Amino acid sequence: MPHARPRGERGRVERRASGGERIPWVHVGAFVAGTVLVVLFTAHQIGTERETTLLHWKTRIATIAADRARLVSGWLAARRADAEVLAAFPAVRALLAGQGKDEESLARHLTRVASAYGYAGIVVSDAQGRPVARSAADAVAAALEPARAVAEVAASRKPRFELAGTGAGRLLAITVPVFIDGAPAGPEGDPRPLLGVVTLGMKPDASLYPLLADDAEPTRTGETLLVDLDSSPPVYLSPPRQPAPADSAVVQRSLATLRDLAQAAAQGHAPVAETIDYRDVPVVVAVRRVSPTGWTLALKVDRSEVLAEFERSGRLAGAAAAFLLLALAGFLVALHRERERGRLLQEQMRRERALSNLQGYADTIVASVPAGLLLLSADLHVLSANRAFLEAFRLGEDDVVGRDLKQLVRADRLVRGAGRVLETGAAQPGVLYDLYVYARRETKPARVAMTPIRMGDDVPPELLLVIEDLTAEERLQAARQESEERYRDLIQGLDAIVWEADARTLTFSFVSGRAETVLGYPVDRWLREPDFWARRIHPEDRDGVMRVYREALAGSRDHEFEYRAVAADGREVWLRDIVHVVRDVDGQPVTLRGLTVDLTELRRSERALHQSEEQLRQAQKMDAVGKLAGGIAHDFNNLLMVIRGDSDLMLRRLPPGHPLRPNAEGVREAADQAATLTRQLLAFSRKQVVAPRLVDLNGIVASIHAMLERLLGETINLVTVTAPDLGGVKADPGQMEQMILNLCVNARDAMPDGGRLTIRTANVDLDEDPAKEWSDARPGPYVMLEVSDTGGGMDPETRAHLFEPFFTTKEQGKGTGLGLSTVYGTVQQSGGHIAVESEPGQGSTFRVYLPRVAAPVIAPEPRRTGGAPAARPAATAEGLVTGRGETILLVEDAARVRAVVREILEMSGYAVLEAHHGAEALELSNRHGGPIHLLVTDVVMPQMSGRELAQRLATLRPDLKVLYMSGYTDDAIVRHGVLASGIAFLSKPFTPDALALKVRELLDGVGAGASVAPGGSRSR
């Protein structure tokens, strides 16, 4: 094997060389030092440039602000001079002094002045603030009523400037005092008598504001604003260029900052600073006082524009610094590589010398190994063999090297094992083989160990075989050891505990390693503690198990039994023991040998299967009852339709005080109660017609909270705990209200002496385990509604029948037994699930889980407590909505129902064509030459359904409108109780008012997608 060893040694030498590469700390330190210097220099340059830029802009902004303040001050002074000229006008002073009466002449003069100088209006007022003359612009002059201005001017004896009004109606008002001598106002405390005031008004957006927007030195974000900082609170006098945010705190904070800056400037400090403006944006601002007013001019520029040029320079400086650092790094890397190249060349020379020495050592070691060595290639050809192998099998090197292993020896197991080791890369310990050597025509026993050798990633693996020649005694010993190892592997590989114990003391002499996996106790505890097994048995099963054990031992018979044990972590584990009794020569039991099988998972599966079967049986029972209830309700509703309709028609014809009227009212009341029971049956059977939408359960709970408090009474404390971020559900709002009411009434009846009722809502996410409680539940997001009480609770027998129709625990006549069954049907129809937790004396908790919908919910409509009724069409004398002689085609297979509906329609003023099935309706339509405005049809009919009839008539009469009516339907009109979009529908039984109103709405083109529930209530 001389060519194999040098390659292995060469790989180890190369790894040592690569692993010994040193980190160039000198170069790293030089790079770090250079980086620090470049960063410090760049930071200094950037800081200096930033300060220079800010100083330049502040100087520029302060200069522009000063120029603009002087411009505005001069303009305002000119306007004051105009006012003072008018104040000195003799006619004005004469009028104010009571010496002139020609007010019209003065008004014309004021109008000419206002027109000539661009004023919106001029008003002359006396010392009490009463206008005595004004210009012709009445609307504008009226806005200049100077009552408040006269008071202030009279107090200060000085001119006054004011921006009054808002938006397009804002005016700049200049008010000056009029003294008896006509001279302008003097300094503070002018003692001359005051005759009155002259007020000039002009539009600031056409005069003052353009001065502020004068961009002699344009900037992209610059803006000039007039601010009154002396008012409380400070306000902006000129409109901002951009709309102010809704948060007024930001605007007030910016004004407070400007006031502080103006006060600092008045004390000699710089009138320029960095601050936040009314947009909450950083700016550089300069302030200047505007004389002769008390206003302040603020010129601001966004800080982003101020520093834009600086930021571009900073980026260039950063790029230059980065380039410099990259250049430095490249130089240092090149220097390091050059030094490494020289070091690697020296290392390679040392490695070549070491390889030469290692080859000699390897030849010596291989030659001295007493076992035979074979090196095989990946295709199992012999690459080399050592001297010990050649001598043991009396072969020459030419008989071995270069040959396929299958040509050298006959041993199929050896060839398969070699292929498996090369494929998996896992070494195989010594295994006994009988090797038939073809060249010697003899069989020799040998123990062969195999180890894969990989010389490199891109080189196929090679296989080293270590072959020990065995004598006959060594062969027997190896076979015995192999048999023991096979037996041990078999025992440890069983999915059960294999054990052996003394029959009298139950002390274990052997326990397989599976015991640690099943119960979690180490094997040495089983072997060390005499009563270990007995103490691990569940306390409830211990006596029975020990009794079975003693009886089986007394009869010396094999036995099996199942029991529960307690694992190390406290788990309850189901076990099955299969025990064989070993007897002595006298037939007495001396040893027990057995298997202990873990049945825990099997028992869990059996319980889950049993629970699923129970749920399936319950669901089938509820479904059968629901189908029966739905069928009964369908036929019963037709009967109720006749009873209810006839009783209503009788009451309309019987005058008040008639002796038969109470009887008719009793019939109608009984029919209404029967209709209510029918609706509950339909709700339970999930065949009630509903119109689901996205709703918020929190809103529904809040809307019925007051009604619940009245319903529960004073002895029951109602507590609601709602999740603020509750998701929406898709359900019928009316059904949700009724469900909560039924649950609360059930809880109230469980607490006759009072207690606490809690309604809680929450968002929950059901994973796989909780969802398994219901056979059809899917994991995912749900909205939970929980109703819990502190009542007497329920036993398991009561809980098993809780949702069955007509099941009740109340006294005779105090309950129909449909409340909770209605809740069950509502939850099922809404795609949800309901769970109940209750124990005797522990109260009850009902949890309803409805699928959560990720969409905006619609707030529930407020419950009507009064107010004016909604507008409706005009009614006849009998109270029905009036028709206009339209023709209606009525199709109904039940004769009495058809007669009642026809009579109602004819009383309402309609012409009725009557048919008892679809074919007759088509024939009647073909014979009728005039228009048919409306089709009123039952949904479920023989021969042809109402839906099919409407579709066929639509091709003949495209303008025909359709109204469906039924006591129960589950076809194309209503799918699983949910009303299809755009369908007009009436649920039987309905009142004459409901039918007349619905027909009128359809003919008038409103209410096309509405349904009317029994009793006449409408839902959409």
Side-chain angles (χ1 to χ4, degrees), residues 798-1010:
T798 302
R799 293 200 305 272
H801 303 282
L802 195 59
F803 298 114
E804 295 179 5
F806 308 111
F807 173 78
T808 179
T809 59
K810 300 173 186 176
E811 300 177 8
Q812 183 71 25
K814 290 195 175 180
T816 63
L818 288 174
L820 290 180
S821 62
T822 302
V823 171
Y824 177 84
T826 297
V827 173
Q828 292 291 311
Q829 191 171 14
S830 301
H833 312 281
I834 185 168
V836 183
E837 292 181 5
S838 182
E839 294 293 338
Q842 301 296 322
S844 303
T845 299
F846 290 78
R847 293 188 180 93
V848 175
Y849 298 89
L850 298 174
R852 191 162 77 232
V853 180
V857 299
I858 302 174
E861 296 179 0
R863 301 184 65 85
R864 292 188 178 178
T865 59
R872 56 180 291 175
T876 63
E878 291 82 2
L880 296 177
V881 177
T882 306
R884 304 190 184 102
E886 293 94 335
T887 301
I888 297 177
L889 175 58
L890 171 63
V891 187
E892 168 63 60
D893 59 321
R896 286 297 299 133
V897 175
R898 187 171 65 251
V900 170
V901 175
R902 174 171 187 158
E903 187 172 355
I904 295 172
L905 293 174
E906 288 177 343
M907 287 178 63
S908 301
Y910 299 101
V912 181
L913 303 177
E914 181 180 351
H916 72 280
H917 55 71
E920 183 180 351
L922 290 173
E923 182 180 354
L924 190 58
S925 173
N926 292 331
R927 291 201 311 266
H928 184 71
I932 298 178
H933 300 87
L934 177 66
L935 169 66
V936 178
T937 177
D938 193 11
V939 176
V940 181
M941 296 184 298
Q943 299 181 7
M944 185 186 304
S945 70
R947 179 70 167 181
E948 183 181 355
L949 171 62
Q951 290 173 344
R952 295 178 66 172
L953 284 175
T955 61
L956 303 174
R957 297 177 180 269
D959 297 331
L960 180 66
K961 298 178 180 179
V962 183
L963 172 61
Y964 296 98
M965 57 182 182
S966 180
Y968 149 65
T969 181
D970 195 22
D971 61 358
I973 302 299
V974 178
R975 287 292 184 186
H976 304 291
V978 179
L979 186 65
S981 176
I983 300 296
F985 182 80
L986 273 175
S987 292
K988 298 177 184 176
F990 47 79
T991 65
D993 286 332
L995 174 61
L997 177 61
K998 188 62 181 177
V999 168
R1000 189 68 260 160
E1001 286 182 346
L1002 283 174
L1003 292 175
D1004 291 342
V1006 297

Side-chain angles (χ1 to χ4, degrees), residues 1-173:
M1 300 171 60
H3 68 285
R5 289 192 301 270
R7 281 187 291 183
E9 295 297 338
R10 185 181 305 115
R12 286 190 290 273
V13 172
E14 290 175 354
R15 284 193 297 272
R16 284 198 300 270
S18 62
E21 184 174 332
R22 295 171 297 172
I23 299 176
W25 292 112
V26 174
H27 296 161
V28 171
F31 178 74
V32 170
T35 300
V36 171
L37 290 175
V38 170
V39 169
L40 291 177
F41 177 77
T42 304
H44 174 71
Q45 286 295 106
I46 290 175
T48 303
E49 181 69 19
R50 179 181 178 279
E51 293 301 324
T52 303
T53 301
L54 282 175
L55 180 60
H56 165 72
W57 271 93
K58 286 181 179 180
T59 304
R60 178 184 175 188
I61 292 171
T63 302
I64 296 174
D67 293 342
R68 200 156 294 174
R70 285 193 294 271
L71 178 63
V72 173
S73 296
W75 185 86
L76 290 174
R79 304 288 76 73
R80 183 184 66 181
D82 291 345
E84 289 174 346
V85 168
L86 282 176
F89 190 58
V92 171
R93 287 187 289 117
L95 181 62
L96 290 176
Q99 301 172 0
K101 299 297 183 180
D102 194 0
E103 298 178 5
E104 294 182 359
S105 175
L106 179 58
R108 288 194 299 272
H109 177 72
L110 295 178
T111 301
R112 288 194 300 273
V113 171
S115 175
Y117 291 94
Y119 290 105
I122 303 174
V123 177
V124 178
S125 304
D126 60 15
Q128 285 73 37
R130 295 187 299 268
V132 297
R134 62 180 64 184
S135 62
D138 293 339
V140 176
L144 297 176
E145 295 294 343
R148 184 166 59 89
V150 170
E152 294 185 7
V153 171
S156 64
R157 301 301 180 99
K158 295 173 62 178
R160 181 176 178 274
F161 295 83
E162 180 184 13
L163 277 168
T166 58
R170 198 167 199 186
L171 290 177
L172 172 62

Side-chain angles (χ1 to χ4, degrees), residues 263-342:
Q263 293 174 353
Q267 296 173 3
H269 297 286
V272 186
E274 297 181 49
T275 182
I276 302 295
D277 70 351
Y278 63 88
R279 301 166 299 159
D280 205 17
V281 174
V283 296
V284 177
V285 62
V287 297
R288 292 288 182 177
R289 277 289 190 181
V290 176
S291 61
T293 69
W295 301 341
T296 300
L297 182 142
L299 174 62
K300 65 180 185 65
V301 179
D302 285 3
R303 192 172 181 272
S304 58
E305 180 182 358
V306 171
L307 296 179
E309 185 63 32
F310 159 74
E311 290 176 352
R312 286 193 293 270
S313 301
R315 285 193 292 269
L316 291 175
F323 177 78
L324 183 60
L325 290 176
L326 288 175
L328 177 61
F331 171 75
L332 293 176
V333 168
L335 180 62
H336 170 67
R337 286 183 176 177
E338 186 63 30
R339 294 186 59 183
E340 280 297 305
R341 191 176 294 110

Side-chain angles (χ1 to χ4, degrees), residues 724-765:
D725 56 346
L726 191 68
V729 298
K730 191 170 186 179
D732 188 288
Q735 277 197 334
M736 293 296 102
E737 288 186 4
Q738 190 62 47
M739 176 187 71
I740 298 173
L741 287 173
N742 287 358
L743 291 173
C744 291
V745 168
N746 183 73
R748 180 199 65 186
D749 295 342
M751 298 182 290
D753 299 326
R756 185 177 68 255
L757 189 150
T758 303
I759 302 176
R760 186 170 72 91
T761 61
N763 292 322
V764 296
D765 291 294

Side-chain angles (χ1 to χ4, degrees), residues 249-444:
V250 175
V251 176
Q252 290 302 318
R253 187 165 62 249
S254 66
L255 288 169
T257 305
L258 291 177
R259 181 173 56 193
D260 296 341
L261 180 60
Q263 293 174 353
Q267 296 173 3
H269 297 286
V272 186
E274 297 181 49
T275 182
I276 302 295
D277 70 351
Y278 63 88
R279 301 166 299 159
D280 205 17
V281 174
V283 296
V284 177
V285 62
V287 297
R288 292 288 182 177
R289 277 289 190 181
V290 176
S291 61
T293 69
W295 301 341
T296 300
L297 182 142
L299 174 62
K300 65 180 185 65
V301 179
D302 285 3
R303 192 172 181 272
S304 58
E305 180 182 358
V306 171
L307 296 179
E309 185 63 32
F310 159 74
E311 290 176 352
R312 286 193 293 270
S313 301
R315 285 193 292 269
L316 291 175
F323 177 78
L324 183 60
L325 290 176
L326 288 175
L328 177 61
F331 171 75
L332 293 176
V333 168
L335 180 62
H336 170 67
R337 286 183 176 177
E338 186 63 30
R339 294 186 59 183
E340 280 297 305
R341 191 176 294 110
R343 188 181 67 81
L344 290 175
L345 183 60
Q346 296 178 357
E347 187 66 29
Q348 184 177 1
M349 295 174 62
R350 286 196 299 270
R351 188 165 57 246
E352 292 294 337
R353 289 195 298 269
L355 287 175
S356 177
N357 295 333
L358 284 174
Q359 184 170 350
Y361 297 153
D363 290 341
T364 303
I365 293 172
V366 171
S368 62
V369 172
L373 300 179
L374 280 182
L375 183 64
L376 305 180
S377 64
D379 57 357
L380 300 184
H381 281 72
V382 180
L383 299 177
S384 63
N386 71 339
R387 185 168 60 250
F389 175 81
L390 299 176
E391 291 176 352
F393 289 86
R394 299 195 301 278
L395 296 171
E397 188 172 353
D398 294 338
D399 299 328
V400 178
V401 177
R403 292 184 178 272
D404 192 320
L405 180 62
K406 291 182 287 187
Q407 297 175 351
L408 179 63
V409 294
R410 184 176 64 199
D412 294 338
R413 282 201 308 127
L414 175 64
V415 174
R416 289 196 301 270
R420 186 166 55 252
V421 170
L422 284 172
E423 180 180 354
T424 62
Q428 174 186 295
V431 178
L432 184 64
Y433 296 98
D434 288 329
L435 303 181
Y436 177 80
V437 183
Y438 289 107
R440 302 297 303 170
R441 291 194 175 95
E442 64 178 4
T443 301
K444 298 200 68 168

